[in-house]
Every structure is written in C-alpha cells, then in structure tokens.
Amino acid sequence: MPDRHDLPAGFRWGVTTAAYQIEGAAEEDGRGPSVWDTFVTRPGVIRGGHTGAVACDHYHRYPEDIALMKGLGLDGYRFSIAWSRIQPVGSGPVNPAGLAFYDRLVDALLEAGITPLPTLFHWDLPQALEDEGGWLNRDTAYRFADYAAATAARLGDRIPTWITLNEPFVHTVFGYAMGIHAPGRALMFEALPAAHHQLLGHGLAASILRERGLEVMLSNNLTPVEPATSNPADLTAAAAYDALHNRLFTDPVLLGRYPDLSALGVPDDIFGAIRPGDVDLIHTPGLDGLGVNYYNPTRVAAPTDPSLPFDLVDIPDVPHTAFGWPVVPDGLRRLLVGLQELYGTALPPITITENGCSVDESAAPDRLRIDYLATHLDALATAIAEGVDVRGYYTWSLLDNFEWAEGYHQRFGLVHVDFETQKRTPRASYAWYRKLIATHRALHSG
C-alpha cells in the first residue's frame, strides 16, 4: 500500500492561511471594512465575542511568519488577498498602501525561496458591495473582475498561478443561506444566485488572468457523499446533496453545464440568475488546476422534515476533531478517485489546497494532528497510485487563527499563537512536517 513516502518527485509542499483570519490591522493604511468586520459586531454571532481586528497581527509580523515557513522548507504559501485593502469600497481606484503590503509580502516570500499562491476571494467581500446586494447582485461579479485585473497588474510579474475563489459552497451556504457566517443572511435555497454570481466572477476574472499569461485555479470544499443506508430515499437524498455541495461549483467550470438541481426545488435558471452566455463565460477560460479542500466525508439520509431535500447525519464509530468533524482519511482517496471517474479528461491537475484539523489543547494534542496529517497523506499517495494527478499538498494552517464563527477557540496551526502576546511557538507537528518534506526531497534528490 503506498504511503506518504511514495509521493512523486516534484510534489509541492505548502501551508495555507486567509487574510481576515490572520492579518489584523483592520483599520490601517486605508483598508475598508469587509462583511466580516461588520458581522463580528453583531451580538452572539461569534463564539466568545471575538473579532479579527488583530488576529495574528500578520500584517506587521509577516517577516516572522515567513521565517517559520522557510524553516519548514516549503515550496509554496497559499494566502488570500483582502479585497478591501486593494479597493476599500470594492470598486474604483486602488489603494496604494494596500498593494504595497502585498508587494512586500510577495518579495519576502520569493527571497525565502517560497512561491506565492494567492487567493483573490476568501469570503471577505467589501462591505460597500454587500450594501448593494453582495453576491446576490450580478454587478459584484464584474467588480470582482476589475479587482482581479488591478491586483494582477501589480503582482502578476512575480506570481505565476492565481486562485480566484475559495470554497464558494461554504460562502454561499453559511453566509447567504443559513446566516452562520458573514454577511449573515438566511435565505435558504434562494441564496443560490450568490453561487452563480461567484462562478460568473470566477469566469470573468479567469479570462483576464489568462490574457496576462497567468495560470488559474479555483479551490472548492469537496466531500465524498455517502447515503446513510441503501434505502432508495437515502440514495436520492445523497444524490441531491452531492449536486449541491460538489457538482454545483465544479460542473459549470469543467463541463460547461450546471447539474440537475430539480430535486432541491431549484429552477434551471437558478431563480433567474443565469443569463444567456453566462455558462460559457464560466467554462471557457478553463482551469490550469483544481484546488481541493478536504476535511471529511458527508453522510446523508432522507429528510425527516418534508420541506427539506435531505438530512445530514453523523458518521459513527470514527474519531472526531475538536470541531466535531469525523476523521476519515480514506474519504480523501475516495473523493479524488471519484473526481477522476466523474470528469475524466476534463479534470485538470489537482492540488490539495486545504487539509488539517483542529484539536483540543489537552492530553497530548499534537499527536492527534500528526496522525491526522500522516493518514491523510497516506490516502493521498494511494489516490495518486490509482491514477489521480495530484501535484501538491497545502495544509491548513500555518498558524492558529480567527476561525470564523468559532473565534479563537479552534486551533488548526502547526504553530501555536498566544493571542495575548502574539508569541509563535512551533508545535510537534511543525517539526514532523519539516522532517517529512526534507525526507521527500532527499528521496528524490538524485
């Protein structure tokens, strides 16, 4: 059975972060407010009343954090760019100080021998655009394309590959359908125009990036979906959930069509959002790579509430992370092999752009993180041996950070952060990851 030591030569190692979760400096150097700056002020929406106003203070401490990355021996660093640092109100003139920060960051990464892999949108929409309807407003897709063009014009000479969106499923469902994340709307399935407009924004931005000779990726949170039983009602519910979570955000980009969403009660035009030519705009630029964010499989049963198309049920008899997520490493293999079977030659090379776990800080916690990473990398090696083209692995996350609605209570970092003092302390998993990367390089050095 292949394991993590059998990953191929040229395999790329990295870590991932996101702007609002680590940067802080929320009101410095002309940065405008994002939907998260607004959302965290609502009473009760963030555990502990935490905010990302300071977070890891990465805006000021990025040299220290890059030194930690260099110590790991990384090939790449995936981070996100805060749109409201570049355009404080989401449109119009760029903010020179905001671009200058990312200039400094990119140059420092390159000096350390680390390739930057930026994500243009990781959920922090400028509040001014949300005030005009956010991703429910078609115009936001065009403003996103403008932002992509301005950012790439400044940084594209040093960054070969760009990710447009991070996890549009999670942002649509948690932000617009259920109200758990910013911007805090609870529209249920009527939130789905936000999904289409994000994909439209991807297509428009991808065309601009490609015209500049840059490579384009899209990162999706994907999950292998399994029915709770072999009962036909559970099978139908699982298929409906798979269409929503996985295929809604992948089929249009790779196949040039949306999946059948009728089982969800969603019309073909997604509540009037889709206009003639839109799907071509999404599909035509193509992808140079697909980013896969994997954390766990999803088990689905027929709904107990007849107004809903499915129920999500727990996966029994497996460990769970501190977040309550089931730990199923083979789910990553099943997901990747399933993507290959479903999309065939339309599937571009894959990079695992997020994978990691939150652990309780008590009782030898980092052994759990090391075991999680090791077993998932073993599953990844098996998927590659079964023919899936996977080029790299970026773990979530370099640092403990502001974990959205959970505030600072969930700790995913290879590096512990004391949020009172901002002291960084590498965990045992940091040393383990460093050794793994060095061992892989040594095996392929000849």
Side-chain angles (χ1 to χ4, degrees), residues 13-368:
W13 300 97
V15 294
T16 294
T17 66
Y20 188 76
Q21 293 181 271
I22 68 165
E23 284 184 1
E27 298 182 0
E28 290 189 39
D29 292 337
R31 178 187 179 275
S34 76
V35 291
W36 275 96
D37 296 288
T38 302
F39 185 68
V40 297
T41 65
R42 295 189 190 178
V45 299
I46 307 296
R47 184 178 171 190
H50 297 158
T51 81
V54 176
C56 304
D57 196 30
H58 175 76
Y59 189 79
H60 301 110
R61 297 172 183 267
Y62 72 89
E64 178 182 359
D65 295 335
I66 292 175
L68 287 165
M69 296 179 220
K70 186 175 182 179
L72 283 168
L74 299 178
D75 297 296
Y77 172 47
R78 178 181 172 231
F79 60 98
S80 76
I81 295 172
W83 187 346
S84 62
R85 284 202 196 280
I86 307 303
Q87 292 176 306
V89 296
S91 62
V94 299
N95 171 30
L99 279 171
F101 166 69
Y102 294 107
D103 256 337
R104 296 192 299 272
L105 178 67
V106 167
D107 286 345
L109 287 165
L110 293 172
E111 185 176 353
I114 299 167
T115 300
L117 180 60
T119 301
L120 284 164
F121 180 70
H122 197 130
W123 307 352
D124 49 353
L125 190 73
Q127 182 60 46
L129 292 182
E130 181 60 31
D131 293 342
E132 299 297 322
W135 286 111
L136 295 170
N137 182 351
R138 181 181 177 90
D139 186 64
T140 299
Y142 293 89
R143 302 291 71 75
F144 178 69
D146 293 342
Y147 152 63
T151 308
R154 179 66 170 264
L155 304 175
D157 60 326
R158 286 154 288 163
I159 302 175
T161 305
W162 294 68
I163 297 172
T164 53
L165 307 174
N166 177 75
E167 297 187 350
F169 168 79
V170 177
H171 186 55
T172 300
V173 172
F174 280 28
Y176 286 89
M178 299 173 65
I180 297 170
H181 285 178
R185 303 202 193 191
L187 302 174
M188 298 305 289
F189 287 109
E190 290 186 6
L192 288 180
H196 176 66
H197 294 148
Q198 285 179 82
L199 287 173
L200 179 61
H202 157 79
L204 294 167
S207 293
I208 290 167
L209 294 168
R210 285 218 144 168
E211 287 171 2
R212 298 187 66 89
L214 303 171
E215 294 188 343
V216 178
M217 294 176 62
L218 172 70
S219 283
N220 282 330
N221 176 289
L222 299 175
T223 179
V225 178
E226 54 189 54
T229 72
S230 59
N231 183 294
D234 288 348
L235 293 172
T236 298
Y241 186 79
D242 181 62
L244 175 66
H245 189 132
N246 295 318
R247 300 188 63 175
L248 174 63
F249 299 94
T250 312
D251 282 16
V253 178
L254 298 184
L255 302 179
R257 61 177 181 267
Y258 274 102
D260 181 5
L261 302 175
S262 59
L264 305 171
V266 177
D268 289 343
D269 65 354
I270 305 187
F271 302 108
I274 301 177
R275 296 183 185 177
D278 279 5
V279 179
D280 284 342
L281 287 172
I282 294 167
H283 172 63
T284 299
L287 286 181
D288 298 288
L290 178 65
V292 171
N293 297 354
Y294 171 79
Y295 291 97
N296 55 265
T298 304
R299 180 167 290 186
V300 180
T304 53
D305 181 345
S307 67
L308 298 174
F310 48 72
D311 280 350
L312 305 184
V313 296
D314 192 27
I315 298 175
D317 304 321
V318 299
H320 286 67
T321 71
F323 225 136
W325 298 345
V327 179
V328 186
D330 190 60
L332 177 56
R333 182 198 64 83
R334 287 188 281 123
L335 171 65
L336 295 172
V337 171
L339 288 170
Q340 183 65 60
E341 291 174 347
L342 178 61
Y343 294 110
T345 58
L347 184 68
I350 289 170
T351 296
I352 306 304
T353 42
E354 287 185 29
N355 177 242
C357 69
S358 169
V359 298
D360 193 326
E361 290 291 280
S362 64
D366 225 33
R367 183 70 254 168
L368 301 177

